[in-house]
Amino acid sequence: MIEVAHLTKRYPGRVAVDDVSFRVNPGEIVGFLGPNGAGKSTTMRILAGYLPATGGIVRVANHDLATESIEVRRRIGYMPESCPLYGEMRVDEYLRFRARLKGVPRSKLKARLADVKERCGIADVGSRIIGHLSKGYRQRVGLAESLVHEPELLILDEPTIGLDPNQIRLVRSLIADLAQRHTILLSSHILSEVEMTCRRVLILNKGRIVASDTPDKLRRRMEGEATVTAEIEGPQAEVEVALRSLPGVSEVTSEGIGPWRRYTLRAARDGDTRADVFGAVAAQKWRLRELHQESATLEDIFVSLTSSDRAEVRQ
Amino acid sequence: MSAFFTLWRKELTTYFLSPIAYIVMIFFLVVMGVIFSLLVSVLADGSAGVTVMNLLFGSPFFWMTMLVLVPVLTMRLFAEEKKSGTIETLMTAPVSDTAVVLAKFAGALSFYIFMWLPTAFYIFVLWFFSADMLPPDPGPMLGGYLGALLIGMFYLSIGVCSSALTSNQIVSAIITFAVMIVLFLAGLLDYIAHGEWVRQVSAYLSSYSHMLEFSRGMMDSRPIVFYLSGTALLLFATVKIVEARNWK
C-alpha cells in the first residue's frame, strides 16, 4: 500500500526526515512512534501530499507521489494533527462539501454521509455548528471527514491528542473498527496507545527509523534479561549466595533494614526464575512475602531507543 | 472541474456565514445610497455638464469605499485557512493548487458582484421618476458596470495574492490596502506631475480616470487589457505562492 524509499526532508539548517524507508502492506495498522519533533508529522505530511520531499521515492497504491499527486490524494484520507475544521460550518454541510471535493458522486452522497456519521458516532450532531462542538466530537467529525470518500489508506496524525480518557477509548475502538476495511498509518507519542492499536510499530527518532517490528517482538528483542524482585526474610549473606547460584541469575542486589530485605535479580529471560527463587527460599525455610518479574514495556524500549546517547549506538 | 465549483460554492457561502459580509454590504449600500441622493439633488438643480453614471461611479466616496472593502473581502481567503490549519486538509484533497486559487478568487468576485446588484435599483428609480420617462443611456450604464467589474477583479486579485502571503488577516488587509493606495495615487499623478513620462505611465494606471471614461460610455481597450492581464498575472503569482509552501 505504501512504499517509502530513502525519504528525506531537509529544511535550511536541519534535517527533519533522514533517509527513511519502510513499507506498509494492505490491511495493516502501523503506528509511528517517536518523541515530539522526531519527524512523524513531517513524514505524514509528505505522504499525504502536503509537503514535497527533498529526496526519495514515495508510492501509494502503485502511484508515485511526486508525479501523480492527485491520484495518490484520491486514495488517502488524511487527518492532520490539530484536526482543523471550518468552525463556522455545520457538520452535515462540512461533510457534504468535503465529500464533493473528494469526488464522491452526488448520487452516493447521502448514503456515504449517513455511513460515516453512523460509524463515527456523530449522527445526532449533523445540524450543529462545528465551532460549538466539544473537542471529542470535533475529532470524530475529522475522522468522519477523512473516511468520507472510502479511501484505501488512512493517515491519522495523533488522532487522540487532547482528548479526555473516555473520548480516547472511543476513538481507539473506532480506529480498531476501521482497521477491518482500511489500511491505517497512525502516529502517536503515547506508547500504550500504539501498543494497543497497532500491529506493527515504527519508532522514529531524529528523523530516522530506529526500530520496526511488532510490539511483542520489539519487547523480546530488547530485553534479553528480566528483573525479578523478591522480599525475603533470612540471613542476608546466605540468601544472596543461594539466589546467585540459581540458574540464569547474573546479578543480585539487596536493600532494606531488619529481617525483611528486598532482593533484585537480573536473570535470563528464557525460563522462569520465580519458581527457582521460591524453591530456594522454601528449601531453607526462609520466609517470602513478595515475588514478581518485570517484563520490559514498550516504554523501556522507547526510552532506550530514543534517548540521545543510546540511539546513536544502536544506529 | 467539479472540484472548482464545489470550492467556489463553499467560498461564496462562507461569506454569508460570517458577520463581516453583512457589515461590508451594509456599509457599501449606505455609501452608494448617500452618493445616489447627492446625485439626485445635483440633477434636481439641473447643473449642466454632469452625467448620472459619472457621478455614481466617479465619486470620491465610491473610491474610498472600494479601497476599504476589497481588503476586507479578501483578507480571509488564504490567511484564515493557514491560521486554522485547514489549508492542510484543503491542499491534501484531490484538487490542484490552480483550482483552489481560482475558486477563492471567483468566490470573492461573486460576492463583489452580489454587492453591486442592489445598485441596479437606482437606475430604475431614475428612470421611473424622471420627468420625461426616457430610459437611461445604455452606454454609460454598461460602461460603468463593466468598469466596476474590471477594476474590482484587479483589486480583488491583489487581495487574493496578499492573503496567500501571510497567515495573519490584518497583515493581508494592510498589504492589499497599501498596494491599492499606491496604485490609486500613482494614477492621480496624471493630474499633478510635470514630467511627460510620469504622466503617461500614470495615465495607464489611473483607475480613477479609467472609471470616469467607462462611465462616460467610452470603452477603451487599453484599460480593459490592463485589468484583465493584471488580474491574470496576480492570480498566476498567487498559484506560485501557494505552491511555494513547498520551498520552506
Side-chain angles (χ1 to χ4, degrees), chain A residues 253-272:
Chain A
T253 54
S254 72
E255 57 184 321
I257 313 159
W260 289 99
R261 290 189 68 86
R262 193 178 177 85
Y263 298 87
T264 309
L265 290 73
R266 305 281 293 166
R269 179 161 281 284
D270 43 336
D272 198 336

Side-chain angles (χ1 to χ4, degrees), chain B residues 69-115:
Chain B
L69 287 192
V70 169
V72 175
L73 286 185
T74 56
M75 63 184 188
R76 230 206 54 243
L77 292 171
F78 281 100
E80 194 182 34
E81 302 239 27
K82 287 190 189 176
K83 190 77 150 192
S84 71
T86 46
I87 188 85
E88 215 172 314
T89 43
L90 179 64
M91 303 319 287
T92 51
V95 285
S96 65
D97 296 356
T98 313
V100 171
V101 171
L102 289 181
K104 286 193 178 284
F105 172 72
L109 185 63
S110 315
F111 185 81
Y112 176 81
I113 293 170
F114 183 84
M115 208 172 68

Side-chain angles (χ1 to χ4, degrees), chain A residues 9 11-12 45 48-52 70 73-74 78 80 84-86 88-89 93 97-98 100-102 145, chain B residues 2-3 6-7 9-10 14 17 81 84-96 245-246 248:
Chain A
K9 176 72 185 174
Y11 289 110
R45 282 178 167 174
Y50 181 65
L51 291 178
I70 300 268
R73 284 188 248 166
R74 243 187 261 286
Y78 171 54
L85 303 165
Y86 297 107
E88 70 278 6
M89 289 176 109
E93 213 173 15
F97 158 64
R98 292 294 299 182
R100 291 291 295 147
L101 195 61
K102 290 169 165 187
E145 187 278 321
Chain B
S2 103
T6 309
L7 278 172
R9 223 185 99 186
K10 188 251 157 195
T14 302
L17 294 177
E81 302 239 27
S84 71
T86 46
I87 188 85
E88 215 172 314
T89 43
L90 179 64
M91 303 319 287
T92 51
V95 285
S96 65
R245 71 180 181 277
N246 304 350
K248 59 177 185 209

Side-chain angles (χ1 to χ4, degrees), chain B residues 174-247:
Chain B
I174 290 171
I175 295 174
T176 314
F177 185 70
V179 174
M180 284 168 61
I181 280 281
V182 166
L183 278 174
F184 184 75
L185 294 180
L188 292 185
L189 285 178
D190 192 16
Y191 296 93
I192 51 170
H194 294 296
E196 185 56 27
W197 67 271
V198 178
R199 293 183 51 190
Q200 274 180 359
V201 170
S202 145
Y204 279 108
L205 293 177
S206 176
S207 299
Y208 182 70
S209 56
H210 293 157
M211 197 63 181
L212 285 180
E213 277 177 28
F214 277 126
S215 60
R216 221 176 269 136
M218 277 170 52
M219 315 269 188
D220 189 345
S221 61
R222 282 170 303 178
I224 296 178
V225 170
F226 171 68
Y227 289 120
L228 288 180
S229 58
T231 305
L233 179 70
L234 282 161
L235 292 180
F236 175 74
T238 312
V239 173
K240 291 296 149 198
I241 292 167
V242 171
E243 282 173 2
R245 71 180 181 277
N246 304 350
W247 304 340

Side-chain angles (χ1 to χ4, degrees), chain A residues 231-235 239 259-261 263 281 285-289:
Chain A
E231 272 190 40
I232 298 168
E233 188 194 36
V239 173
W260 289 99
R261 290 189 68 86
Y263 298 87
V281 171
K285 300 237 163 46
W286 295 325
R287 294 203 293 160
L288 177 72
R289 72 173 179 193

